[in-house]
Amino acid sequence: MPSPSHTTEFISLLTSHQTALRGFIISLLPGCPDVCDVLQETNIVLWEKKNSYTLGSDFKAWAFTIARNKVMKYWDKQKKQQKTTLSAELMSAIHEAKLQQAPTQLEHQLTALQSCLQSLKPDEQQLISARYSSHNDLKSLSHTWNRPTGSLRVTLCRIREKLRTCIELRLKGGLA
């Protein structure tokens, strides 16, 4: 059974790669209305196999391989229904090209956000986490933090502005 930190890290990796996974599946199923279904099936397999993933290894390559296998199963099913399909060789070529592709703007922004969150003071990190990770509203936070709602609203606004500035600087400086 994986540790809670393994599960937390896995969830973070899974969610941060959703855009890339969707783009990859779209590239293998151009114009296909079933992309969302294949992505969902891929996510299910990724979650079921989370214990076999080694933290620190290339999550993107691992996830793309599973997505590719799901697409191949989708194409096999379509073949049986006599619909046009891409060859396995072409899908392999697309798979390799996508793995070599530079990170997207969104991936750069997410990396910058993660770095900027780490640069916050510990109490700022806790407040951001309490507000957004736990989906607490300001009223419940005001009780927990023993601060007026208006005060928390101003503090969160200042922290968000600090994060926005940090992200912009990292993206302009190529630090993301």
Side-chain angles (χ1 to χ4, degrees):
M1 174 166 236
S3 68
S5 63
H6 182 278
T7 301
T8 301
E9 179 70 19
F10 184 85
I11 291 169
S12 176
L13 288 167
L14 181 62
T15 56
S16 68
H17 283 82
Q18 285 303 291
T19 302
L21 272 170
R22 181 174 172 72
F24 176 64
I25 292 169
I26 288 170
S27 72
L28 296 175
L29 298 172
C32 179
D34 299 324
V35 168
C36 290
D37 294 336
V38 175
L39 176 61
Q40 183 64 29
E41 290 174 17
T42 300
N43 284 324
I44 291 169
V45 172
L46 290 170
W47 183 254
E48 289 171 348
K49 294 183 178 248
K50 71 181 179 290
N51 296 342
S52 67
Y53 174 72
T54 304
L55 289 177
S57 62
D58 189 349
F59 183 86
K60 183 178 176 181
W62 181 70
F64 276 27
T65 300
I66 291 172
R68 180 177 171 267
N69 291 339
K70 278 293 172 189
V71 169
M72 289 175 72
K73 284 183 182 179
Y74 174 84
W75 281 123
D76 286 344
K77 184 178 168 185
Q78 296 305 306
K79 277 184 197 176
K80 290 177 184 170
Q81 296 174 0
Q82 298 181 350
K83 295 185 179 179
T84 317
T85 62
L86 296 176
S87 70
E89 295 81 19
L90 180 57
M91 286 199 316
S92 291
I94 293 171
H95 179 241
E96 289 302 315
K98 283 290 187 179
L99 286 176
Q100 303 303 320
Q101 199 173 50
T104 65
Q105 179 67 18
L106 178 61
E107 289 170 329
H108 285 301
Q109 291 169 338
L110 289 172
T111 301
L113 173 60
Q114 289 171 344
S115 297
C116 291
L117 283 169
Q118 294 296 324
S119 71
L120 293 175
K121 296 175 189 171
D123 61 323
E124 293 173 329
Q125 289 177 5
Q126 290 172 348
L127 182 57
I128 288 290
S129 179
R131 175 65 177 101
Y132 298 106
S133 296
S134 303
H135 305 291
N136 291 313
D137 61 13
L138 284 176
K139 188 174 181 179
S140 65
L141 282 176
S142 70
H143 293 295
T144 305
W145 287 69
N146 199 25
R147 289 180 52 190
T149 305
S151 170
L152 281 175
R153 183 178 294 112
V154 170
T155 301
L156 284 166
C157 184
R158 288 180 181 151
I159 295 170
R160 286 190 301 265
E161 180 61 26
K162 187 188 287 189
L163 287 171
R164 185 187 62 75
T165 302
C166 177
I167 291 167
E168 287 175 355
L169 288 172
R170 287 189 174 277
L171 292 175
K172 284 180 186 173
L175 299 173

